[in-house]
Amino acid sequence: MSQRLQEPSFLILSSLAGGAKHGYGIIKEVQELSAGAVSMKVGTLYGALDRLAAEHLIEVDREEIVDSRLRRYYRLSADGAVLLSTEATRINTQANVALRRLRVAGMHP
Amino acid sequence: MSQRLQEPSFLILSSLAGGAKHGYGIIKEVQELSAGAVSMKVGTLYGALDRLAAEHLIEVDREEIVDSRLRRYYRLSADGAVLLSTEATRINTQANVALRRLRVAGMHP
DNA sequence: AAGTATATATCGGCGGCCAGAGTATGTCCA
DNA sequence: TGGACATACTCTGGCCGCCGATATATACTT
């Protein structure tokens, strides 16, 4: 049953763990956090947002109109927090295993 | 240009960072490492092995016949080690960001 | 004789991401 | 004043990589 998240979905949940945000705000944050390295595509984002909401991992927090433009804010749900927690722990372990092995093999600084 | 790896591919590279292995051996190791939680599908494995080899991230190490059964061993290439290293570092950071945020939000033990 | 473990090959299907275009409003600057 | 750029969401076609299943073959166990 254990759900698996791909990177973009993981990053969305992670972004929302820092507080409710609207779509465009998530894109900006992901870009900043990765120092411009990762640019999430709009198609990916809004598609993922719909899917995550359908799975009750995120919820619509509120909607605002700013300068005649809609902002739909999402927040992390309780289920989403649990999933993000278990997933983050899991991939953290996996990353550490990889780094340790590379070090032992002399392939990592 | 920065290549992205999905989990199964990442796990294969990680497994090979621990030494050359053959396909079935990789499946067994991944299963053991995750305490039976993750079972890599054979279709996924051999497909990924072919792709990774085509991208020169892994190489055929040697082939053996054991009990009339072929064993094709793969090893991590230099390129593969570099990629695994950068990827592991990157996702490690991402996982830590997520865990820190959950902790701050009081959503993580 | 049947089931389990070892070992690889192959193939249809599909979910999720990519890439791009579309719609709209407001700001900055030349 | 008009062109570029930022903000903000929508939609669609395509494709890549994983899933699930089946196939083949040998050896060991029950």
Side-chain angles (χ1 to χ4, degrees):
Chain A
M1 209 55 174
S2 67
Q3 187 118 10
R4 64 245 333 106
L5 291 170
Q6 289 195 19
E7 221 182 303
S9 298
F10 181 90
L11 290 172
I12 291 171
L13 294 190
S14 185
S15 177
L16 294 181
K21 288 183 193 61
H22 64 289
Y24 198 75
I26 295 173
I27 291 183
K28 290 292 127 186
E29 202 205 19
V30 167
Q31 233 163 27
E32 284 163 22
L33 281 184
S34 66
V38 179
S39 77
M40 179 134 47
K41 312 301 173 186
V42 292
T44 302
L45 178 85
Y46 292 106
L49 245 24
D50 289 345
R51 254 179 294 112
L52 293 171
E55 293 166 12
H56 305 103
L57 298 173
I58 63 176
E59 293 155 354
V60 174
D61 189 69
R62 67 188 187 278
E63 294 188 342
E64 288 177 359
I65 304 284
V66 178
D67 290 335
S68 322
R69 274 187 230 101
L70 176 66
R71 281 187 184 173
R72 185 152 44 237
Y73 284 78
Y74 289 90
R75 82 176 95 84
L76 192 60
S77 74
D79 283 359
V82 170
L83 179 60
L84 180 60
S85 174
T86 61
E87 283 288 282
T89 304
R90 198 169 55 78
I91 74 170
N92 189 43
T93 305
Q94 285 178 359
N96 285 327
V97 168
L99 291 172
R100 196 177 314 122
R101 288 183 172 196
L102 287 168
R103 231 175 282 120
V104 169
M107 298 177 183
H108 187 68
Chain B
M1 204 57 178
S2 67
Q3 186 110 18
R4 41 235 299 140
L5 290 171
Q6 289 197 18
E7 222 182 304
S9 298
F10 182 89
L11 290 173
I12 290 171
L13 294 190
S14 185
S15 178
L16 293 182
K21 289 183 192 61
H22 64 288
Y24 198 74
I26 295 172
I27 291 182
K28 290 292 127 184
E29 202 207 19
V30 167
Q31 232 162 27
E32 284 162 22
L33 282 182
S34 67
V38 178
S39 76
M40 180 134 46
K41 313 302 175 186
V42 293
T44 302
L45 178 84
Y46 291 105
L49 245 24
D50 289 345
R51 253 180 295 112
L52 294 171
E55 294 166 12
H56 306 103
L57 298 173
I58 63 175
E59 295 155 354
V60 174
D61 189 69
R62 67 187 187 280
E63 294 189 342
E64 289 178 0
I65 303 285
V66 177
D67 288 336
S68 324
R69 272 187 232 101
L70 174 68
R71 280 187 185 173
R72 183 154 44 238
Y73 285 78
Y74 290 90
R75 81 175 94 85
L76 193 60
S77 74
D79 283 359
V82 169
L83 178 61
L84 180 60
S85 174
T86 62
E87 284 288 283
T89 303
R90 197 170 55 78
I91 75 170
N92 188 45
T93 304
Q94 285 179 0
N96 285 327
V97 167
L99 290 171
R100 195 178 316 123
R101 289 185 171 193
L102 287 167
R103 231 175 282 121
V104 169
M107 297 176 184
H108 187 70

